């Protein structure tokens, strides 16, 4: 965070988006590259193909274990790189503090939310990452899925504003 | 699953590991994709552009994939699932990933790597309900050819 008032985004409402882009161009560039690499990883692994995801969840059909290899690769690497980065760097390279979740409580929202997520994931064979990657293919089914994903998040945003849900 | 599917899965998984490591090392953040999307709603000026840039990177990879490996992107169930069905599934995924604080990337990859208790529990729960959902779809004949 290079700005003192950075957590209060609206404080800077008179600042235009272009000057904000200059302010944190490094962060924006790293995010873009990370998104690109993440997407290539999803495509290479086959996880952008909903039939392979549903195939993994389909224990009563012809089970496709590919997803386990993908998780194995991602977890196998990041288990070590997470520790390495946190030990090696007192703070992130481009910003002043870590923003890694620290909550430990197992809340009802966690159980209900993740249970519902599994249902949506199983129904279409899509989670948010592969859905966004597949937007690039221009497929109409995917676009409908993503538009309603945004509406679902928007619905939560409004509910949370009204009731402040403990997640 | 062929042998090459397993190899590609492992390599693709490693790339995902590289992507989340870059995000952590430079930006100090976890790469939870549902969370990256949800953060857009607060319209925080400081926070908006890197989120768009990340999602832009994902979409660009898909556009490149569609041009180079058309069999790897797109949607295999176009003929089977209606648009209303996609809308329902999308809405559930959107709502639930905020309620449950994460998706496959946030809980499954980033949280499990940190051995976060919430993410380990969350991943087990969505894996369980995912298996259950597809089993029910199979029993109802939604998946039968």
């Amino acid at each position: 965070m290079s700005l003192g008032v950075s957590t209060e985004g609206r404080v800077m409402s008179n600042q235009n988006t272009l000057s904000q882009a200059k302010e944190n161009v490094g962060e924006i560039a790293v995010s873009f590259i990370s998104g690109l690499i993440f997407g290539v990883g999803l495509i290479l692994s086959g996880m952008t193909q909903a039939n392979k995801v549903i195939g993994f969840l389909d224990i009563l059909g012809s089970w496709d274990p590919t997803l386990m290899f993908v998780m194995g690769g991602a977890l196998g690497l990041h288990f070590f790189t997470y520790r390495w980065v946190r030990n090696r760097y007192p703070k992130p390279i481009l910003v002043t503090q870590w923003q890694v979740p620290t909550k430990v409580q197992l809340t009802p929202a966690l159980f209900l939310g993740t249970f519902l997520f599994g249902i949506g994931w199983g129904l279409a064979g899509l989670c948010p990452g592969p859905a966004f990657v597949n937007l690039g293919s221009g497929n109409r089914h995917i676009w409908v899925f993503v538009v309603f994903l945004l509406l679902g998040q928007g619905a939560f945003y409004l509910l949370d504003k009204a009731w402040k849900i403990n997640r | 699953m062929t042998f090459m599917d397993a190899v590609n899965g492992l390599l693709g998984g490693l790339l995902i590991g590289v992507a989340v490591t870059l995000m952590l090392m430079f930006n100090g953040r976890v790469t939870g994709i549902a969370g990256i999307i949800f953060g857009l709603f607060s319209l925080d000026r400081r926070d908006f552009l890197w989120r768009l840039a990340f999602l832009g990177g994902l979409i660009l990879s898909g556009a490149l994939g569609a041009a180079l490996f058309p069999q790897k992107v797109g949607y295999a169930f176009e003929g089977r699932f209606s648009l209303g069905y996609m809308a329902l599934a999308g809405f559930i995924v959107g709502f639930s990933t905020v309620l449950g604080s994460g998706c496959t990337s946030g809980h499954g990859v980033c949280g499990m790597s940190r051995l976060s208790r919430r993410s380990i529990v969350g991943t087990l729960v969505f894996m369980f309900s995912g298996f259950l959902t597809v089993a029910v779809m199979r029993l109802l004949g939604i998946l039968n050819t």
Side-chain angles (χ1 to χ4, degrees), chain A residues 10 15 24 27 31 34 39 43-44 48 58 74 81 83 93-94 99 104-105 114-115 117-118 123-124 127 133-134 141 149 153 167, chain B residues 1 13 19 21 25-28 34 38 42 45-46 61-62 72 74-75 78 81 85 90 94 96 98 104 113 117-118 126 129 138:
Chain A
R10 285 180 192 86
Q15 195 178 7
N24 51 341
E27 248 184 299
S31 299
S34 173
I43 293 169
L44 176 63
T48 47
D58 191 10
T81 57
R83 279 151 190 81
I93 293 174
L94 295 176
Q99 301 215 30
V104 290
Q105 295 94 330
T114 50
F115 189 84
F117 169 54
L123 282 176
C127 52
V133 172
N134 274 321
H141 274 64
L149 186 158
Q153 289 205 341
R167 283 182 275 163
Chain B
M1 186 190 76
T21 301
M25 189 157 105
F26 286 89
N27 296 358
F38 186 64
S42 63
R45 215 171 261 279
R46 174 65 183 71
S61 75
K72 289 245 184 200
Y75 196 60
E78 251 179 319
F81 300 156
Y85 179 98
S96 68
V98 197
T104 334
S113 293
R117 191 170 65 145
R118 273 168 61 85
F126 74 65
S129 61
R138 174 73 62 196

Short mmCIF file of all heavy atoms in Angstrom, two decimals, chain A residues 10 15 24 27 31 34 39 43-44 48 58 74 81 83 93-94 99 104-105 114-115 117-118 123-124 127 133-134 141 149 153 167, chain B residues 1 13 19 21 25-28 34 38 42 45-46 61-62 72 74-75 78 81 85 90 94 96 98 104 113 117-118 126 129 138:
data_model
loop_
_atom_site.label_atom_id
_atom_site.label_comp_id
_atom_site.label_asym_id
_atom_site.label_seq_id
_atom_site.Cartn_x
_atom_site.Cartn_y
_atom_site.Cartn_z
N ARG A 10 -12.86 5.64 -0.86
CA ARG A 10 -13.75 6.74 -1.25
C ARG A 10 -13.19 8.10 -0.87
O ARG A 10 -13.64 9.12 -1.35
CB ARG A 10 -15.13 6.52 -0.65
CG ARG A 10 -15.89 5.45 -1.38
CD ARG A 10 -17.26 5.23 -0.79
NE ARG A 10 -17.84 3.99 -1.34
CZ ARG A 10 -17.62 2.81 -0.83
NH1 ARG A 10 -16.84 2.68 0.23
NH2 ARG A 10 -18.16 1.74 -1.37
N GLN A 15 -9.94 11.73 -7.17
CA GLN A 15 -8.76 11.35 -7.94
C GLN A 15 -9.22 10.47 -9.11
O GLN A 15 -10.04 9.58 -8.91
CB GLN A 15 -7.84 10.55 -7.02
CG GLN A 15 -6.45 10.40 -7.53
CD GLN A 15 -5.61 9.63 -6.51
OE1 GLN A 15 -6.11 9.15 -5.51
NE2 GLN A 15 -4.34 9.53 -6.78
N ASN A 24 -0.33 2.43 -8.52
CA ASN A 24 -0.01 1.03 -8.23
C ASN A 24 0.10 0.18 -9.49
O ASN A 24 -0.47 -0.89 -9.61
CB ASN A 24 -0.99 0.41 -7.23
CG ASN A 24 -2.43 0.62 -7.61
OD1 ASN A 24 -2.74 1.50 -8.40
ND2 ASN A 24 -3.31 -0.20 -7.09
N GLU A 27 1.47 -3.44 -8.96
CA GLU A 27 0.48 -4.39 -8.45
C GLU A 27 -0.47 -4.85 -9.55
O GLU A 27 -0.86 -6.01 -9.61
CB GLU A 27 -0.36 -3.66 -7.41
CG GLU A 27 -0.21 -4.11 -6.00
CD GLU A 27 -1.19 -3.35 -5.13
OE1 GLU A 27 -1.10 -2.11 -5.07
OE2 GLU A 27 -2.06 -4.02 -4.54
N SER A 31 -0.81 -8.63 -11.02
CA SER A 31 -2.12 -9.28 -11.01
C SER A 31 -2.48 -9.81 -12.39
O SER A 31 -2.99 -10.92 -12.52
CB SER A 31 -3.20 -8.28 -10.57
OG SER A 31 -2.93 -7.83 -9.27
N SER A 34 -0.31 -12.83 -13.10
CA SER A 34 -0.78 -13.94 -12.27
C SER A 34 -2.06 -14.54 -12.85
O SER A 34 -2.20 -15.77 -12.93
CB SER A 34 -1.01 -13.45 -10.83
OG SER A 34 -1.61 -14.45 -10.05
N GLY A 39 -4.73 -18.86 -15.57
CA GLY A 39 -5.62 -19.31 -16.64
C GLY A 39 -4.97 -20.36 -17.53
O GLY A 39 -5.59 -21.36 -17.89
N ILE A 43 -6.20 -24.19 -18.16
CA ILE A 43 -6.43 -24.74 -19.50
C ILE A 43 -5.58 -26.00 -19.71
O ILE A 43 -6.08 -27.04 -20.13
CB ILE A 43 -6.12 -23.69 -20.59
CG1 ILE A 43 -7.12 -22.54 -20.52
CG2 ILE A 43 -6.15 -24.34 -21.98
CD1 ILE A 43 -6.75 -21.33 -21.37
N LEU A 44 -4.26 -25.88 -19.40
CA LEU A 44 -3.35 -27.01 -19.58
C LEU A 44 -3.83 -28.22 -18.78
O LEU A 44 -3.81 -29.36 -19.27
CB LEU A 44 -1.93 -26.60 -19.16
CG LEU A 44 -0.87 -27.70 -19.19
CD1 LEU A 44 -0.67 -28.19 -20.63
CD2 LEU A 44 0.45 -27.18 -18.63
N THR A 48 -10.59 -26.34 -17.29
CA THR A 48 -11.58 -25.46 -17.91
C THR A 48 -12.66 -26.28 -18.61
O THR A 48 -13.64 -25.73 -19.10
CB THR A 48 -10.92 -24.54 -18.95
OG1 THR A 48 -10.06 -25.33 -19.79
CG2 THR A 48 -10.10 -23.45 -18.27
N ASP A 58 -18.06 -37.40 -10.31
CA ASP A 58 -19.03 -38.43 -10.72
C ASP A 58 -18.57 -39.82 -10.28
O ASP A 58 -18.14 -40.64 -11.08
CB ASP A 58 -19.15 -38.37 -12.26
CG ASP A 58 -20.31 -39.20 -12.76
OD1 ASP A 58 -21.12 -39.66 -11.93
OD2 ASP A 58 -20.39 -39.38 -13.99
N ALA A 74 -0.65 -27.89 -7.54
CA ALA A 74 -0.80 -26.54 -6.98
C ALA A 74 -0.45 -26.52 -5.49
O ALA A 74 0.33 -25.69 -5.03
CB ALA A 74 -2.22 -26.04 -7.20
N THR A 81 6.13 -22.82 -1.20
CA THR A 81 6.42 -21.42 -1.54
C THR A 81 5.73 -20.46 -0.57
O THR A 81 6.25 -19.38 -0.30
CB THR A 81 6.01 -21.07 -2.99
OG1 THR A 81 4.62 -21.35 -3.16
CG2 THR A 81 6.84 -21.85 -4.00
N ARG A 83 5.39 -20.85 2.67
CA ARG A 83 6.30 -20.74 3.82
C ARG A 83 7.58 -19.99 3.46
O ARG A 83 8.07 -19.16 4.22
CB ARG A 83 6.62 -22.14 4.35
CG ARG A 83 5.51 -22.63 5.22
CD ARG A 83 5.33 -24.13 5.24
NE ARG A 83 4.08 -24.43 5.92
CZ ARG A 83 2.89 -24.37 5.33
NH1 ARG A 83 2.78 -24.05 4.04
NH2 ARG A 83 1.79 -24.60 6.00
N ILE A 93 6.62 -7.53 -1.69
CA ILE A 93 7.57 -6.68 -2.44
C ILE A 93 6.96 -5.33 -2.83
O ILE A 93 7.62 -4.31 -2.77
CB ILE A 93 8.08 -7.46 -3.68
CG1 ILE A 93 8.94 -8.64 -3.21
CG2 ILE A 93 8.90 -6.54 -4.61
CD1 ILE A 93 9.40 -9.57 -4.33
N LEU A 94 5.68 -5.32 -3.21
CA LEU A 94 5.11 -4.08 -3.75
C LEU A 94 4.19 -3.31 -2.80
O LEU A 94 3.83 -2.18 -3.09
CB LEU A 94 4.33 -4.39 -5.04
CG LEU A 94 5.15 -4.90 -6.22
CD1 LEU A 94 4.24 -5.26 -7.38
CD2 LEU A 94 6.19 -3.88 -6.65
N GLN A 99 -2.02 -9.35 3.34
CA GLN A 99 -3.48 -9.34 3.48
C GLN A 99 -4.01 -10.77 3.40
O GLN A 99 -4.95 -11.06 2.66
CB GLN A 99 -4.11 -8.48 2.39
CG GLN A 99 -3.60 -7.07 2.45
CD GLN A 99 -4.66 -6.07 2.08
OE1 GLN A 99 -5.84 -6.30 2.29
NE2 GLN A 99 -4.26 -4.97 1.51
N VAL A 104 -10.04 -17.84 12.26
CA VAL A 104 -9.95 -19.27 12.56
C VAL A 104 -11.29 -19.90 12.94
O VAL A 104 -11.42 -21.12 12.91
CB VAL A 104 -8.93 -19.56 13.69
CG1 VAL A 104 -7.52 -19.30 13.22
CG2 VAL A 104 -9.24 -18.75 14.94
N GLN A 105 -12.26 -19.08 13.31
CA GLN A 105 -13.54 -19.64 13.77
C GLN A 105 -14.26 -20.40 12.66
O GLN A 105 -14.32 -19.94 11.53
CB GLN A 105 -14.49 -18.54 14.27
CG GLN A 105 -14.02 -17.80 15.50
CD GLN A 105 -13.28 -16.53 15.11
OE1 GLN A 105 -12.65 -16.46 14.05
NE2 GLN A 105 -13.35 -15.53 15.95
N THR A 114 -19.98 -23.19 1.94
CA THR A 114 -19.19 -24.15 1.17
C THR A 114 -20.06 -25.33 0.72
O THR A 114 -19.84 -25.88 -0.35
CB THR A 114 -17.96 -24.63 1.97
OG1 THR A 114 -18.35 -25.06 3.26
CG2 THR A 114 -16.94 -23.51 2.11
N PHE A 115 -21.07 -25.69 1.54
CA PHE A 115 -21.97 -26.77 1.13
C PHE A 115 -22.74 -26.35 -0.14
O PHE A 115 -22.82 -27.11 -1.11
CB PHE A 115 -22.95 -27.11 2.26
CG PHE A 115 -23.76 -28.35 1.98
CD1 PHE A 115 -23.24 -29.61 2.25
CD2 PHE A 115 -25.03 -28.25 1.43
CE1 PHE A 115 -23.98 -30.76 1.97
CE2 PHE A 115 -25.78 -29.40 1.14
CZ PHE A 115 -25.24 -30.65 1.41
N PHE A 117 -21.83 -24.10 -2.25
CA PHE A 117 -20.87 -23.95 -3.36
C PHE A 117 -20.67 -25.29 -4.07
O PHE A 117 -20.65 -25.36 -5.30
CB PHE A 117 -19.54 -23.39 -2.86
CG PHE A 117 -18.44 -23.46 -3.88
CD1 PHE A 117 -18.62 -22.91 -5.15
CD2 PHE A 117 -17.24 -24.10 -3.60
CE1 PHE A 117 -17.61 -23.00 -6.11
CE2 PHE A 117 -16.24 -24.20 -4.55
CZ PHE A 117 -16.43 -23.65 -5.82
N GLY A 118 -20.53 -26.36 -3.28
CA GLY A 118 -20.36 -27.68 -3.89
C GLY A 118 -21.53 -28.05 -4.80
O GLY A 118 -21.35 -28.68 -5.84
N LEU A 123 -23.44 -28.86 -10.21
CA LEU A 123 -24.51 -28.69 -11.20
C LEU A 123 -23.96 -28.35 -12.58
O LEU A 123 -24.39 -28.90 -13.60
CB LEU A 123 -25.49 -27.59 -10.77
CG LEU A 123 -26.52 -27.94 -9.69
CD1 LEU A 123 -27.32 -26.70 -9.31
CD2 LEU A 123 -27.45 -29.05 -10.17
N ALA A 124 -23.01 -27.38 -12.63
CA ALA A 124 -22.53 -26.92 -13.93
C ALA A 124 -21.11 -27.38 -14.25
O ALA A 124 -20.66 -27.26 -15.39
CB ALA A 124 -22.59 -25.38 -13.98
N CYS A 127 -16.41 -23.57 -11.47
CA CYS A 127 -16.19 -22.69 -10.33
C CYS A 127 -15.71 -21.35 -10.91
O CYS A 127 -15.55 -21.23 -12.12
CB CYS A 127 -15.24 -23.33 -9.32
SG CYS A 127 -13.69 -23.93 -10.00
N VAL A 133 -12.13 -17.92 -17.25
CA VAL A 133 -11.26 -18.29 -18.37
C VAL A 133 -12.13 -18.59 -19.60
O VAL A 133 -11.86 -18.11 -20.71
CB VAL A 133 -10.39 -19.51 -18.02
CG1 VAL A 133 -9.63 -20.00 -19.25
CG2 VAL A 133 -9.43 -19.16 -16.90
N ASN A 134 -13.19 -19.34 -19.39
CA ASN A 134 -14.05 -19.73 -20.52
C ASN A 134 -14.84 -18.57 -21.12
O ASN A 134 -15.33 -18.67 -22.24
CB ASN A 134 -15.01 -20.84 -20.09
CG ASN A 134 -14.39 -22.21 -20.23
OD1 ASN A 134 -13.67 -22.48 -21.19
ND2 ASN A 134 -14.65 -23.09 -19.28
N HIS A 141 -23.47 -20.19 -22.85
CA HIS A 141 -23.77 -20.82 -21.56
C HIS A 141 -22.87 -20.27 -20.46
O HIS A 141 -23.30 -20.05 -19.33
CB HIS A 141 -23.60 -22.34 -21.66
CG HIS A 141 -24.81 -23.05 -22.17
ND1 HIS A 141 -25.29 -22.85 -23.44
CD2 HIS A 141 -25.63 -23.95 -21.59
CE1 HIS A 141 -26.37 -23.59 -23.62
NE2 HIS A 141 -26.60 -24.28 -22.51
N LEU A 149 -23.49 -15.46 -11.67
CA LEU A 149 -22.51 -15.52 -10.56
C LEU A 149 -22.35 -14.12 -9.95
O LEU A 149 -22.38 -13.94 -8.74
CB LEU A 149 -21.17 -16.04 -11.10
CG LEU A 149 -20.02 -16.32 -10.13
CD1 LEU A 149 -19.04 -17.30 -10.78
CD2 LEU A 149 -19.27 -15.10 -9.70
N GLN A 153 -23.38 -12.83 -6.17
CA GLN A 153 -22.48 -12.09 -5.27
C GLN A 153 -23.09 -10.74 -4.91
O GLN A 153 -22.99 -10.29 -3.77
CB GLN A 153 -21.10 -11.90 -5.91
CG GLN A 153 -20.31 -13.19 -6.00
CD GLN A 153 -18.80 -12.96 -6.06
OE1 GLN A 153 -18.34 -11.87 -6.38
NE2 GLN A 153 -18.04 -13.99 -5.75
N ARG A 167 -19.31 -14.12 8.60
CA ARG A 167 -18.86 -15.20 7.73
C ARG A 167 -17.78 -16.02 8.41
O ARG A 167 -17.22 -16.90 7.91
CB ARG A 167 -18.35 -14.61 6.41
CG ARG A 167 -19.50 -14.21 5.51
CD ARG A 167 -18.99 -13.68 4.19
NE ARG A 167 -18.68 -12.27 4.27
CZ ARG A 167 -17.92 -11.65 3.37
NH1 ARG A 167 -17.37 -12.32 2.39
NH2 ARG A 167 -17.69 -10.35 3.45
N MET B 1 -9.31 -40.92 -17.93
CA MET B 1 -8.09 -40.12 -17.82
C MET B 1 -6.89 -40.89 -18.40
O MET B 1 -6.63 -42.00 -18.00
CB MET B 1 -7.80 -39.81 -16.33
CG MET B 1 -6.64 -38.86 -16.15
SD MET B 1 -6.10 -38.69 -14.42
CE MET B 1 -5.21 -40.21 -14.16
N GLY B 13 -1.34 -27.66 -12.60
CA GLY B 13 -1.41 -27.38 -11.16
C GLY B 13 -0.19 -26.61 -10.69
O GLY B 13 -0.31 -25.67 -9.90
N ALA B 19 1.31 -18.96 -10.07
CA ALA B 19 0.46 -17.75 -10.12
C ALA B 19 0.11 -17.26 -8.71
O ALA B 19 0.20 -16.06 -8.43
CB ALA B 19 -0.81 -18.03 -10.93
N THR B 21 1.71 -17.89 -5.97
CA THR B 21 2.94 -17.48 -5.28
C THR B 21 3.34 -16.05 -5.69
O THR B 21 3.72 -15.24 -4.84
CB THR B 21 4.09 -18.46 -5.58
OG1 THR B 21 3.69 -19.75 -5.14
CG2 THR B 21 5.36 -18.05 -4.88
N MET B 25 3.78 -13.03 -3.12
CA MET B 25 5.11 -12.44 -2.96
C MET B 25 5.11 -10.94 -3.28
O MET B 25 5.69 -10.14 -2.54
CB MET B 25 6.06 -13.18 -3.88
CG MET B 25 7.51 -12.87 -3.71
SD MET B 25 8.45 -14.26 -4.36
CE MET B 25 9.02 -13.61 -5.86
N PHE B 26 4.45 -10.54 -4.34
CA PHE B 26 4.48 -9.13 -4.76
C PHE B 26 3.35 -8.32 -4.13
O PHE B 26 3.57 -7.20 -3.70
CB PHE B 26 4.41 -9.03 -6.28
CG PHE B 26 5.70 -9.41 -6.95
CD1 PHE B 26 5.94 -10.74 -7.31
CD2 PHE B 26 6.69 -8.47 -7.20
CE1 PHE B 26 7.14 -11.11 -7.91
CE2 PHE B 26 7.89 -8.83 -7.79
CZ PHE B 26 8.11 -10.15 -8.15
N ASN B 27 2.14 -8.87 -4.12
CA ASN B 27 0.98 -8.08 -3.68
C ASN B 27 0.50 -8.44 -2.27
O ASN B 27 -0.42 -7.80 -1.77
CB ASN B 27 -0.17 -8.24 -4.67
CG ASN B 27 0.18 -7.67 -6.04
OD1 ASN B 27 1.27 -7.13 -6.24
ND2 ASN B 27 -0.74 -7.80 -6.99
N GLY B 28 1.09 -9.47 -1.68
CA GLY B 28 0.74 -9.83 -0.31
C GLY B 28 -0.64 -10.42 -0.14
O GLY B 28 -1.19 -10.40 0.96
N ALA B 34 -13.09 -16.05 -6.26
CA ALA B 34 -14.40 -15.51 -5.86
C ALA B 34 -14.22 -14.21 -5.06
O ALA B 34 -14.98 -13.26 -5.24
CB ALA B 34 -15.17 -16.54 -5.03
N PHE B 38 -15.57 -10.50 -5.81
CA PHE B 38 -16.46 -9.84 -4.84
C PHE B 38 -15.91 -8.47 -4.42
O PHE B 38 -16.68 -7.55 -4.17
CB PHE B 38 -16.67 -10.74 -3.62
CG PHE B 38 -17.68 -10.20 -2.66
CD1 PHE B 38 -19.01 -10.06 -3.04
CD2 PHE B 38 -17.33 -9.83 -1.36
CE1 PHE B 38 -19.97 -9.56 -2.17
CE2 PHE B 38 -18.27 -9.33 -0.48
CZ PHE B 38 -19.59 -9.20 -0.88
N SER B 42 -17.22 -3.26 -3.82
CA SER B 42 -17.07 -2.13 -2.91
C SER B 42 -16.64 -0.87 -3.67
O SER B 42 -16.62 0.22 -3.10
CB SER B 42 -16.06 -2.46 -1.82
OG SER B 42 -14.80 -2.68 -2.40
N ARG B 45 -11.49 2.51 -5.09
CA ARG B 45 -10.64 2.97 -6.19
C ARG B 45 -9.23 2.36 -6.12
O ARG B 45 -8.63 1.99 -7.13
CB ARG B 45 -10.51 4.48 -6.10
CG ARG B 45 -10.44 5.17 -7.41
CD ARG B 45 -10.56 6.66 -7.17
NE ARG B 45 -11.91 7.12 -7.42
CZ ARG B 45 -12.38 7.37 -8.63
NH1 ARG B 45 -11.64 7.17 -9.70
NH2 ARG B 45 -13.61 7.80 -8.79
N ARG B 46 -8.72 2.24 -4.92
CA ARG B 46 -7.37 1.73 -4.71
C ARG B 46 -7.29 0.25 -5.13
O ARG B 46 -6.25 -0.25 -5.51
CB ARG B 46 -7.05 1.87 -3.22
CG ARG B 46 -5.75 1.27 -2.75
CD ARG B 46 -4.57 1.97 -3.39
NE ARG B 46 -3.31 1.36 -2.99
CZ ARG B 46 -2.90 0.17 -3.40
NH1 ARG B 46 -3.65 -0.56 -4.21
NH2 ARG B 46 -1.75 -0.31 -3.00
N SER B 61 -6.31 -15.52 -21.21
CA SER B 61 -5.82 -16.90 -21.36
C SER B 61 -6.88 -17.75 -22.06
O SER B 61 -6.54 -18.60 -22.89
CB SER B 61 -5.46 -17.49 -19.99
OG SER B 61 -6.62 -17.83 -19.26
N GLY B 62 -8.14 -17.51 -21.74
CA GLY B 62 -9.23 -18.26 -22.37
C GLY B 62 -9.36 -17.95 -23.85
O GLY B 62 -9.63 -18.83 -24.66
N LYS B 72 -10.04 -27.43 -25.58
CA LYS B 72 -9.79 -27.27 -24.13
C LYS B 72 -10.69 -26.22 -23.48
O LYS B 72 -10.76 -26.14 -22.26
CB LYS B 72 -8.32 -26.89 -23.90
CG LYS B 72 -7.35 -28.02 -24.17
CD LYS B 72 -6.67 -28.42 -22.88
CE LYS B 72 -5.62 -29.49 -23.08
NZ LYS B 72 -5.33 -30.16 -21.80
N GLY B 74 -14.50 -23.65 -23.81
CA GLY B 74 -15.88 -23.77 -24.28
C GLY B 74 -16.70 -24.52 -23.25
O GLY B 74 -16.31 -24.58 -22.09
N TYR B 75 -17.81 -25.09 -23.65
CA TYR B 75 -18.66 -25.77 -22.66
C TYR B 75 -19.25 -27.04 -23.23
O TYR B 75 -20.02 -27.02 -24.19
CB TYR B 75 -19.75 -24.81 -22.17
CG TYR B 75 -20.41 -25.29 -20.91
CD1 TYR B 75 -19.65 -25.48 -19.75
CD2 TYR B 75 -21.76 -25.57 -20.86
CE1 TYR B 75 -20.22 -25.93 -18.58
CE2 TYR B 75 -22.35 -26.01 -19.68
CZ TYR B 75 -21.58 -26.19 -18.55
OH TYR B 75 -22.14 -26.64 -17.39
N GLU B 78 -23.36 -27.83 -23.40
CA GLU B 78 -24.23 -26.88 -24.10
C GLU B 78 -25.56 -27.50 -24.51
O GLU B 78 -26.62 -26.90 -24.34
CB GLU B 78 -23.54 -26.40 -25.37
CG GLU B 78 -23.10 -24.98 -25.31
CD GLU B 78 -22.41 -24.60 -26.60
OE1 GLU B 78 -21.64 -25.42 -27.14
OE2 GLU B 78 -22.66 -23.49 -27.06
N PHE B 81 -27.62 -28.79 -20.81
CA PHE B 81 -28.13 -27.90 -19.78
C PHE B 81 -28.75 -26.66 -20.44
O PHE B 81 -28.18 -26.08 -21.35
CB PHE B 81 -27.02 -27.45 -18.83
CG PHE B 81 -26.32 -28.58 -18.10
CD1 PHE B 81 -25.02 -28.41 -17.61
CD2 PHE B 81 -26.95 -29.80 -17.87
CE1 PHE B 81 -24.38 -29.43 -16.93
CE2 PHE B 81 -26.31 -30.84 -17.20
CZ PHE B 81 -25.01 -30.65 -16.73
N TYR B 85 -30.84 -23.28 -16.32
CA TYR B 85 -30.06 -24.15 -15.44
C TYR B 85 -28.69 -23.50 -15.14
O TYR B 85 -28.23 -23.48 -14.00
CB TYR B 85 -29.90 -25.49 -16.15
CG TYR B 85 -29.09 -26.56 -15.42
CD1 TYR B 85 -29.74 -27.55 -14.69
CD2 TYR B 85 -27.70 -26.60 -15.53
CE1 TYR B 85 -29.01 -28.55 -14.05
CE2 TYR B 85 -26.96 -27.59 -14.89
CZ TYR B 85 -27.63 -28.56 -14.15
OH TYR B 85 -26.90 -29.54 -13.53
N GLY B 90 -24.98 -20.61 -11.66
CA GLY B 90 -24.13 -19.42 -11.51
C GLY B 90 -24.51 -18.61 -10.29
O GLY B 90 -23.65 -18.16 -9.54
N GLY B 94 -22.14 -17.86 -7.12
CA GLY B 94 -21.82 -16.48 -6.72
C GLY B 94 -22.16 -16.22 -5.27
O GLY B 94 -21.32 -15.77 -4.49
N SER B 96 -22.85 -18.39 -2.80
CA SER B 96 -22.24 -19.29 -1.82
C SER B 96 -20.76 -19.03 -1.62
O SER B 96 -20.24 -19.24 -0.52
CB SER B 96 -22.44 -20.74 -2.26
OG SER B 96 -21.69 -21.00 -3.43
N VAL B 98 -19.30 -16.23 -1.51
CA VAL B 98 -19.11 -15.13 -0.57
C VAL B 98 -19.54 -15.57 0.83
O VAL B 98 -18.84 -15.35 1.82
CB VAL B 98 -19.88 -13.86 -0.98
CG1 VAL B 98 -19.31 -12.67 -0.22
CG2 VAL B 98 -19.77 -13.60 -2.45
N THR B 104 -12.73 -22.89 -4.96
CA THR B 104 -11.70 -23.89 -5.15
C THR B 104 -10.29 -23.28 -5.03
O THR B 104 -9.38 -23.92 -4.50
CB THR B 104 -11.85 -24.54 -6.54
OG1 THR B 104 -13.22 -24.41 -6.93
CG2 THR B 104 -11.50 -26.00 -6.50
N SER B 113 -2.96 -24.70 1.43
CA SER B 113 -1.49 -24.58 1.47
C SER B 113 -1.01 -23.97 2.78
O SER B 113 0.06 -24.29 3.27
CB SER B 113 -0.98 -23.71 0.32
OG SER B 113 -1.18 -24.34 -0.91
N ARG B 117 -7.47 -23.87 9.06
CA ARG B 117 -8.51 -24.81 9.50
C ARG B 117 -9.82 -24.57 8.75
O ARG B 117 -10.50 -25.50 8.33
CB ARG B 117 -8.73 -24.65 11.02
CG ARG B 117 -9.58 -25.74 11.62
CD ARG B 117 -9.55 -25.66 13.13
NE ARG B 117 -10.18 -24.44 13.60
CZ ARG B 117 -10.91 -24.37 14.73
NH1 ARG B 117 -11.08 -25.44 15.47
NH2 ARG B 117 -11.44 -23.23 15.11
N ARG B 118 -10.17 -23.28 8.60
CA ARG B 118 -11.42 -22.95 7.89
C ARG B 118 -11.38 -23.47 6.46
O ARG B 118 -12.38 -23.98 5.94
CB ARG B 118 -11.63 -21.42 7.88
CG ARG B 118 -12.35 -20.91 9.11
CD ARG B 118 -12.29 -19.40 9.21
NE ARG B 118 -12.92 -18.68 8.10
CZ ARG B 118 -14.23 -18.39 8.04
NH1 ARG B 118 -15.03 -18.76 9.01
NH2 ARG B 118 -14.71 -17.73 7.01
N PHE B 126 -17.23 -28.66 0.51
CA PHE B 126 -17.70 -28.48 -0.88
C PHE B 126 -17.36 -29.68 -1.76
O PHE B 126 -18.06 -29.96 -2.73
CB PHE B 126 -17.31 -27.12 -1.48
CG PHE B 126 -15.87 -26.89 -1.86
CD1 PHE B 126 -15.26 -27.60 -2.89
CD2 PHE B 126 -15.14 -25.88 -1.24
CE1 PHE B 126 -13.95 -27.34 -3.27
CE2 PHE B 126 -13.82 -25.61 -1.61
CZ PHE B 126 -13.22 -26.36 -2.62
N SER B 129 -20.30 -32.04 -0.89
CA SER B 129 -21.59 -31.69 -1.51
C SER B 129 -21.49 -31.75 -3.03
O SER B 129 -22.48 -32.00 -3.72
CB SER B 129 -22.10 -30.32 -1.03
OG SER B 129 -21.21 -29.29 -1.35
N ARG B 138 -26.74 -37.94 -11.45
CA ARG B 138 -26.61 -39.24 -12.13
C ARG B 138 -27.88 -40.08 -11.89
O ARG B 138 -28.44 -40.65 -12.82
CB ARG B 138 -25.34 -39.91 -11.59
CG ARG B 138 -25.04 -41.29 -12.00
CD ARG B 138 -24.58 -41.50 -13.41
NE ARG B 138 -23.35 -40.89 -13.86
CZ ARG B 138 -23.07 -40.78 -15.17
NH1 ARG B 138 -23.93 -41.21 -16.10
NH2 ARG B 138 -21.95 -40.24 -15.55
#
